[in-house]
Amino acid sequence: MSIPLSVLDLAPISRGQTPADSIAASVALAQRAERSGYRRVWYAEHHNMPTIASSATSVLIAHVGAHTSSIRLGAGGVMLPNHSPLTIAEQFGTLDAMYPGRIDLGLGRAPGSDQNTMYALRRDPRSADRFPQDVLELQGYLTGESQVPGVDAIPGKGSDVPLYVLGSSMFGATLAAALGLPYAFASHFAPSMLQPAVEAYRREFQPSAQLDRPYVIAGVNAVAADSRAAAEEAFAAARRRLAAGLFGRGKALTDDEAQLLLDGGAGVHVDTMLTHTAVGTPAEVREHLTGFAREADADELIVAHQFPGVEGRLRSVELTAEAMATVAA
Protein backbone atom coordinates (compact mmCIF):
# COMPACT_ATOMS: atom_id res chain seq x y z
CA MET A 1 0.00 0.00 0.00
CA SER A 2 1.33 3.42 -0.92
CA ILE A 3 -0.37 4.96 2.11
CA PRO A 4 0.39 2.58 4.98
CA LEU A 5 -2.73 1.29 6.67
CA SER A 6 -3.07 -0.13 10.16
CA VAL A 7 -6.02 -1.32 12.24
CA LEU A 8 -7.29 -0.05 15.57
CA ASP A 9 -9.23 -2.94 17.09
CA LEU A 10 -11.52 -1.85 19.91
CA ALA A 11 -12.32 -5.51 20.66
CA PRO A 12 -16.07 -4.81 20.72
CA ILE A 13 -18.42 -7.12 22.58
CA SER A 14 -21.51 -7.06 20.41
CA ARG A 15 -25.04 -7.67 21.60
CA GLY A 16 -25.45 -11.34 22.51
CA GLN A 17 -21.70 -11.96 22.53
CA THR A 18 -19.29 -12.85 25.33
CA PRO A 19 -15.75 -11.57 25.90
CA ALA A 20 -14.55 -14.93 24.56
CA ASP A 21 -16.41 -14.23 21.31
CA SER A 22 -14.83 -10.78 21.13
CA ILE A 23 -11.32 -12.14 21.63
CA ALA A 24 -11.85 -14.78 18.94
CA ALA A 25 -13.01 -12.01 16.62
CA SER A 26 -9.86 -10.00 17.40
CA VAL A 27 -7.73 -12.97 16.37
CA ALA A 28 -9.66 -13.31 13.11
CA LEU A 29 -9.36 -9.56 12.49
CA ALA A 30 -5.59 -9.56 12.97
CA GLN A 31 -5.23 -12.57 10.70
CA ARG A 32 -7.30 -10.90 7.99
CA ALA A 33 -5.34 -7.66 8.39
CA GLU A 34 -2.06 -9.57 8.12
CA ARG A 35 -3.16 -11.26 4.90
CA SER A 36 -4.43 -7.96 3.52
CA GLY A 37 -1.14 -6.09 4.00
CA TYR A 38 -1.86 -3.86 6.99
CA ARG A 39 1.22 -2.67 8.88
CA ARG A 40 0.02 -3.11 12.48
CA VAL A 41 -2.94 -3.79 14.76
CA TRP A 42 -3.30 -1.79 17.97
CA TYR A 43 -5.56 -2.40 20.96
CA ALA A 44 -6.83 0.31 23.31
CA GLU A 45 -6.89 0.14 27.09
CA HIS A 46 -10.40 0.75 28.44
CA HIS A 47 -11.89 -0.22 31.79
CA ASN A 48 -15.39 -0.81 33.13
CA MET A 49 -16.92 -0.72 29.65
CA PRO A 50 -19.31 -3.62 29.01
CA THR A 51 -18.87 -3.40 25.22
CA ILE A 52 -15.04 -3.44 25.08
CA ALA A 53 -12.80 -6.45 25.81
CA SER A 54 -9.32 -4.91 25.53
CA SER A 55 -8.78 -3.87 29.16
CA ALA A 56 -5.82 -6.25 29.65
CA THR A 57 -4.06 -4.96 26.56
CA SER A 58 -0.76 -6.80 26.87
CA VAL A 59 -2.53 -10.13 27.48
CA LEU A 60 -4.63 -9.66 24.34
CA ILE A 61 -1.52 -8.79 22.31
CA ALA A 62 0.20 -11.95 23.53
CA HIS A 63 -2.77 -14.08 22.48
CA VAL A 64 -3.09 -12.51 19.05
CA GLY A 65 0.67 -12.75 18.53
CA ALA A 66 0.47 -16.52 18.93
CA HIS A 67 -2.05 -16.69 16.08
CA THR A 68 -0.27 -14.37 13.62
CA SER A 69 3.21 -14.41 12.15
CA SER A 70 4.34 -11.03 10.81
CA ILE A 71 1.99 -8.12 11.47
CA ARG A 72 3.07 -5.65 14.15
CA LEU A 73 0.99 -5.64 17.33
CA GLY A 74 0.75 -3.01 19.99
CA ALA A 75 -1.12 -0.75 22.31
CA GLY A 76 -3.05 2.19 21.02
CA GLY A 77 -2.65 2.74 23.77
CA VAL A 78 -1.63 1.91 27.28
CA MET A 79 -2.87 4.63 29.64
CA LEU A 80 0.45 5.04 31.40
CA PRO A 81 -0.86 6.89 34.50
CA ASN A 82 -2.78 3.71 35.37
CA HIS A 83 0.49 1.78 35.75
CA SER A 84 4.07 2.03 36.93
CA PRO A 85 6.57 2.50 34.06
CA LEU A 86 8.51 -0.55 35.28
CA THR A 87 5.44 -2.79 35.04
CA ILE A 88 4.75 -1.71 31.47
CA ALA A 89 8.41 -2.09 30.51
CA GLU A 90 8.36 -5.65 31.85
CA GLN A 91 5.09 -6.49 30.06
CA PHE A 92 6.16 -5.14 26.69
CA GLY A 93 9.69 -6.43 27.12
CA THR A 94 8.13 -9.86 27.60
CA LEU A 95 6.03 -9.39 24.47
CA ASP A 96 9.11 -8.37 22.49
CA ALA A 97 10.95 -11.46 23.73
CA MET A 98 8.03 -13.58 22.51
CA TYR A 99 7.53 -11.77 19.20
CA PRO A 100 10.80 -9.99 18.34
CA GLY A 101 10.50 -6.96 16.09
CA ARG A 102 6.70 -7.00 16.10
CA ILE A 103 5.72 -5.03 19.20
CA ASP A 104 4.71 -1.34 19.47
CA LEU A 105 3.92 0.64 22.61
CA GLY A 106 1.56 3.58 22.23
CA LEU A 107 1.12 5.70 25.34
CA GLY A 108 -1.72 7.91 26.50
CA ARG A 109 -2.34 9.91 29.64
CA ALA A 110 -6.15 9.73 29.83
CA PRO A 111 -7.73 7.50 32.49
CA GLY A 112 -9.60 5.31 30.01
CA SER A 113 -12.33 5.17 32.63
CA ASP A 114 -14.54 7.15 35.01
CA GLN A 115 -13.79 8.44 38.52
CA ASN A 116 -15.01 5.31 40.34
CA THR A 117 -12.96 3.12 38.04
CA MET A 118 -9.92 5.30 38.67
CA TYR A 119 -10.36 4.53 42.36
CA ALA A 120 -10.72 0.81 41.65
CA LEU A 121 -7.47 0.97 39.67
CA ARG A 122 -5.85 2.69 42.69
CA ARG A 123 -4.90 5.49 40.37
CA ASP A 124 -3.69 8.76 41.89
CA PRO A 125 -5.75 11.59 40.30
CA ARG A 126 -2.52 13.59 39.97
CA SER A 127 -0.70 10.83 38.10
CA ALA A 128 -1.40 12.37 34.69
CA ASP A 129 0.77 15.32 35.71
CA ARG A 130 3.77 12.98 35.78
CA PHE A 131 3.14 11.61 32.29
CA PRO A 132 6.21 13.20 30.60
CA GLN A 133 8.52 11.97 33.36
CA ASP A 134 6.91 8.53 33.31
CA VAL A 135 7.43 8.26 29.53
CA LEU A 136 11.13 9.01 30.01
CA GLU A 137 11.41 6.51 32.85
CA LEU A 138 9.72 3.86 30.72
CA GLN A 139 11.97 4.66 27.78
CA GLY A 140 15.02 4.28 30.02
CA TYR A 141 13.99 0.78 31.06
CA LEU A 142 13.46 -0.28 27.44
CA THR A 143 16.70 1.18 26.11
CA GLY A 144 18.79 -0.23 28.96
CA GLU A 145 19.50 3.21 30.40
CA SER A 146 17.40 3.07 33.55
CA GLN A 147 16.80 6.35 35.35
CA VAL A 148 16.28 4.49 38.63
CA PRO A 149 19.63 3.36 40.06
CA GLY A 150 19.90 -0.40 40.41
CA VAL A 151 16.54 -1.13 38.75
CA ASP A 152 16.19 -2.78 35.34
CA ALA A 153 13.24 -4.23 33.46
CA ILE A 154 13.74 -7.97 32.99
CA PRO A 155 12.56 -8.74 30.32
CA GLY A 156 12.65 -5.31 28.66
CA LYS A 157 16.16 -4.01 29.16
CA GLY A 158 17.70 -3.24 25.77
CA SER A 159 14.61 -4.34 23.85
CA ASP A 160 14.13 -0.85 22.39
CA VAL A 161 10.39 -1.43 21.94
CA PRO A 162 9.37 1.66 19.93
CA LEU A 163 7.25 4.23 21.76
CA TYR A 164 4.43 6.30 20.29
CA VAL A 165 2.69 9.21 21.96
CA LEU A 166 -1.09 9.19 21.57
CA GLY A 167 -3.22 12.27 21.92
CA SER A 168 -6.10 14.45 20.84
CA SER A 169 -4.74 17.82 21.97
CA MET A 170 -1.73 20.07 21.80
CA PHE A 171 -0.19 18.45 24.90
CA GLY A 172 0.56 15.14 23.21
CA ALA A 173 1.75 16.86 20.04
CA THR A 174 4.30 19.04 21.80
CA LEU A 175 5.48 16.19 24.04
CA ALA A 176 5.98 13.83 21.09
CA ALA A 177 7.87 16.58 19.26
CA ALA A 178 10.10 17.35 22.24
CA LEU A 179 10.95 13.67 22.80
CA GLY A 180 11.39 12.88 19.11
CA LEU A 181 8.70 10.19 19.11
CA PRO A 182 6.02 9.30 16.56
CA TYR A 183 2.65 10.94 17.19
CA ALA A 184 -0.71 9.19 16.81
CA PHE A 185 -3.76 11.46 16.82
CA ALA A 186 -7.15 10.08 17.94
CA SER A 187 -9.10 11.73 15.13
CA HIS A 188 -11.36 8.68 14.84
CA PHE A 189 -13.30 9.99 17.86
CA ALA A 190 -11.81 13.40 18.81
CA PRO A 191 -11.27 15.29 15.56
CA SER A 192 -11.35 18.94 16.57
CA MET A 193 -7.63 19.60 17.14
CA LEU A 194 -6.23 17.37 14.41
CA GLN A 195 -4.70 19.95 12.10
CA PRO A 196 -3.22 22.38 14.67
CA ALA A 197 -1.80 19.50 16.69
CA VAL A 198 -0.13 17.90 13.67
CA GLU A 199 1.20 21.26 12.50
CA ALA A 200 2.70 21.94 15.95
CA TYR A 201 4.22 18.46 16.10
CA ARG A 202 5.89 18.78 12.73
CA ARG A 203 7.10 22.32 13.42
CA GLU A 204 8.58 21.55 16.85
CA PHE A 205 9.93 18.03 16.24
CA GLN A 206 13.40 17.28 17.64
CA PRO A 207 15.22 14.21 16.20
CA SER A 208 15.96 11.39 18.64
CA ALA A 209 17.68 8.02 18.75
CA GLN A 210 14.35 6.40 17.82
CA LEU A 211 13.23 8.76 15.07
CA ASP A 212 15.03 11.23 12.82
CA ARG A 213 12.00 12.95 11.32
CA PRO A 214 8.33 13.51 12.28
CA TYR A 215 5.94 10.62 11.81
CA VAL A 216 2.17 11.07 12.12
CA ILE A 217 -0.42 8.31 12.44
CA ALA A 218 -4.00 9.58 12.14
CA GLY A 219 -7.05 7.66 13.32
CA VAL A 220 -10.02 7.32 10.98
CA ASN A 221 -13.16 5.17 10.85
CA ALA A 222 -14.21 3.01 7.92
CA VAL A 223 -17.32 1.10 6.99
CA ALA A 224 -16.58 -0.54 3.64
CA ALA A 225 -19.03 -2.93 2.00
CA ASP A 226 -19.80 -4.38 -1.39
CA SER A 227 -22.74 -1.99 -1.78
CA ARG A 228 -23.49 1.53 -0.61
CA ALA A 229 -26.73 0.36 0.97
CA ALA A 230 -25.00 -2.29 3.08
CA ALA A 231 -22.39 0.22 4.27
CA GLU A 232 -25.03 2.80 5.22
CA GLU A 233 -27.02 0.18 7.14
CA ALA A 234 -23.91 -0.83 9.07
CA PHE A 235 -23.00 2.79 9.78
CA ALA A 236 -26.49 3.46 11.12
CA ALA A 237 -26.05 0.51 13.48
CA ALA A 238 -22.64 1.85 14.55
CA ARG A 239 -24.19 5.24 15.37
CA ARG A 240 -26.86 3.56 17.51
CA ARG A 241 -24.25 1.46 19.32
CA LEU A 242 -22.15 4.52 20.09
CA ALA A 243 -25.15 6.52 21.30
CA ALA A 244 -26.21 3.68 23.58
CA GLY A 245 -22.72 3.33 24.98
CA LEU A 246 -22.31 7.04 25.65
CA PHE A 247 -25.79 7.98 26.81
CA GLY A 248 -27.52 4.72 27.72
CA ARG A 249 -26.51 4.92 31.41
CA GLY A 250 -25.32 1.32 31.42
CA LYS A 251 -28.61 -0.09 30.15
CA ALA A 252 -28.95 -2.57 27.28
CA LEU A 253 -30.97 -0.49 24.83
CA THR A 254 -32.94 -1.72 21.87
CA ASP A 255 -32.26 -0.27 18.44
CA ASP A 256 -35.40 1.84 18.70
CA GLU A 257 -34.34 3.23 22.09
CA ALA A 258 -30.87 4.03 20.78
CA GLN A 259 -32.40 5.76 17.76
CA LEU A 260 -34.52 7.88 20.08
CA LEU A 261 -31.32 9.02 21.79
CA LEU A 262 -29.86 9.99 18.45
CA ASP A 263 -32.99 11.84 17.41
CA GLY A 264 -33.19 13.55 20.79
CA GLY A 265 -29.85 15.32 20.54
CA ALA A 266 -27.22 12.64 21.02
CA GLY A 267 -26.84 12.48 17.25
CA VAL A 268 -24.99 15.80 17.17
CA HIS A 269 -22.38 14.54 19.62
CA VAL A 270 -22.07 11.15 17.94
CA ASP A 271 -21.69 12.63 14.47
CA THR A 272 -19.04 15.05 15.68
CA MET A 273 -17.06 12.14 17.07
CA LEU A 274 -17.46 10.28 13.77
CA THR A 275 -16.49 13.25 11.59
CA HIS A 276 -13.71 11.30 9.93
CA THR A 277 -15.56 8.21 8.77
CA ALA A 278 -15.38 6.63 5.33
CA VAL A 279 -18.66 4.91 4.45
CA GLY A 280 -19.52 3.13 1.23
CA THR A 281 -18.11 0.98 -1.54
CA PRO A 282 -14.36 0.45 -1.87
CA ALA A 283 -14.09 3.31 -4.37
CA GLU A 284 -15.95 5.67 -2.03
CA VAL A 285 -13.84 4.62 0.93
CA ARG A 286 -10.65 5.08 -1.07
CA GLU A 287 -11.68 8.61 -2.05
CA HIS A 288 -12.46 9.53 1.56
CA LEU A 289 -9.29 8.04 3.03
CA THR A 290 -6.94 9.59 0.49
CA GLY A 291 -8.55 12.97 1.09
CA PHE A 292 -8.32 12.50 4.83
CA ALA A 293 -4.64 11.53 4.63
CA ARG A 294 -3.89 14.79 2.84
CA GLU A 295 -6.02 16.82 5.27
CA ALA A 296 -4.34 15.22 8.29
CA ASP A 297 -0.84 15.42 6.76
CA ALA A 298 -0.51 11.81 7.88
CA ASP A 299 2.28 9.34 7.17
CA GLU A 300 0.03 6.42 8.11
CA LEU A 301 -3.67 5.84 8.72
CA ILE A 302 -4.91 3.64 11.55
CA VAL A 303 -8.44 2.53 10.77
CA ALA A 304 -11.21 1.58 13.18
CA HIS A 305 -13.58 -0.60 11.17
CA GLN A 306 -16.98 0.22 12.62
CA PHE A 307 -18.99 -2.66 11.16
CA PRO A 308 -21.18 -4.10 13.94
CA GLY A 309 -20.90 -7.77 12.90
CA VAL A 310 -17.71 -9.81 12.77
CA GLU A 311 -18.05 -10.97 9.16
CA GLY A 312 -18.89 -7.47 7.99
CA ARG A 313 -15.90 -6.08 9.90
CA LEU A 314 -13.56 -8.62 8.31
CA ARG A 315 -14.95 -7.77 4.89
CA SER A 316 -14.45 -4.06 5.58
CA VAL A 317 -10.81 -4.74 6.48
CA GLU A 318 -10.32 -6.63 3.23
CA LEU A 319 -12.14 -4.19 0.94
CA THR A 320 -10.39 -1.15 2.39
CA ALA A 321 -6.97 -2.72 1.87
CA GLU A 322 -7.80 -3.70 -1.71
CA ALA A 323 -9.06 -0.21 -2.47
CA MET A 324 -6.07 1.60 -0.97
CA ALA A 325 -3.59 -0.71 -2.70
CA THR A 326 -4.45 1.09 -5.94
CA VAL A 327 -3.50 4.53 -4.60
CA ALA A 328 -0.37 5.93 -6.20
CA ALA A 329 2.51 7.03 -4.00
Side-chain angles (χ1 to χ4, degrees):
M1 299 176 195
S2 299
I3 301 174
L5 288 185
S6 296
V7 172
L8 178 63
D9 182 4
L10 300 177
I13 305 172
S14 301
R15 184 182 300 167
Q17 284 191 329
T18 66
D21 296 326
S22 172
I23 291 167
S26 287
V27 170
L29 186 72
Q31 291 171 334
R32 186 69 58 92
E34 184 171 77
R35 290 198 299 269
S36 298
Y38 286 77
R39 177 167 291 184
R40 63 185 103 237
V41 181
W42 280 2
Y43 306 93
E45 178 186 346
H46 293 282
H47 299 281
N48 194 32
M49 294 188 179
T51 59
I52 295 179
S54 54
S55 55
T57 311
S58 59
V59 179
L60 181 58
I61 292 170
H63 179 65
V64 175
H67 292 84
T68 53
S69 59
S70 59
I71 196 165
R72 298 190 68 88
L73 301 168
V78 162
M79 300 299 105
L80 190 55
N82 291 344
H83 314 274
S84 75
L86 177 59
T87 297
I88 297 303
E90 291 169 342
Q91 290 178 4
F92 280 78
T94 300
L95 289 169
D96 180 74
M98 296 166 69
Y99 310 111
R102 294 179 57 196
I103 301 301
D104 299 328
L105 178 47
L107 302 168
R109 67 174 183 138
S113 57
D114 55 33
Q115 293 294 320
N116 287 340
T117 308
M118 285 177 62
Y119 167 78
L121 289 166
R122 298 300 188 265
R123 171 175 168 165
D124 182 343
R126 299 165 296 180
S127 55
D129 298 337
R130 298 193 299 270
F131 182 68
Q133 292 78 20
D134 284 351
V135 172
L136 289 173
E137 183 181 334
L138 172 60
Q139 186 177 53
Y141 292 131
L142 295 171
T143 59
E145 299 176 359
S146 175
Q147 296 188 349
V148 183
V151 178
D152 288 316
I154 309 295
K157 181 180 180 180
S159 63
D160 291 310
V161 173
L163 302 182
Y164 300 74
V165 174
L166 278 58
S168 58
S169 69
M170 300 302 291
F171 179 90
T174 56
L175 179 63
L179 299 182
L181 296 175
Y183 181 49
F185 192 92
S187 36
H188 62 292
F189 75 91
S192 63
M193 295 295 292
L194 171 62
Q195 289 171 310
V198 170
E199 288 171 2
Y201 168 70
R202 291 194 178 279
R203 182 176 63 249
E204 299 174 19
F205 181 84
Q206 299 294 316
S208 69
Q210 179 177 326
L211 192 66
D212 62 355
R213 65 186 65 185
Y215 193 85
V216 173
I217 303 175
V220 63
N221 302 292
V223 182
D226 292 288
S227 70
R228 175 76 189 182
E232 288 180 342
E233 181 180 351
F235 182 56
R239 290 179 73 243
R240 291 192 297 267
R241 184 178 69 244
L242 184 55
L246 291 172
F247 303 104
R249 299 180 180 177
K251 298 178 180 178
L253 302 183
T254 66
D255 286 347
D256 288 343
E257 290 170 334
Q259 189 61 50
L260 284 173
L261 285 175
L262 288 168
D263 296 341
V268 175
H269 184 83
V270 166
D271 290 338
T272 298
M273 292 179 67
L274 298 177
T275 295
H276 298 303
T277 303
V279 180
T281 63
E284 291 170 321
V285 168
R286 178 176 64 244
E287 181 178 5
H288 185 105
L289 293 184
T290 52
F292 171 73
R294 288 191 296 269
E295 176 186 347
D297 194 15
D299 299 291
E300 179 180 334
L301 300 182
I302 188 160
V303 184
H305 291 273
Q306 295 288 354
F307 235 97
V310 175
E311 289 305 318
R313 194 153 61 248
L314 296 178
R315 183 63 173 154
S316 182
V317 166
E318 192 173 59
L319 292 175
T320 299
E322 291 172 358
M324 295 301 290
T326 65
V327 176

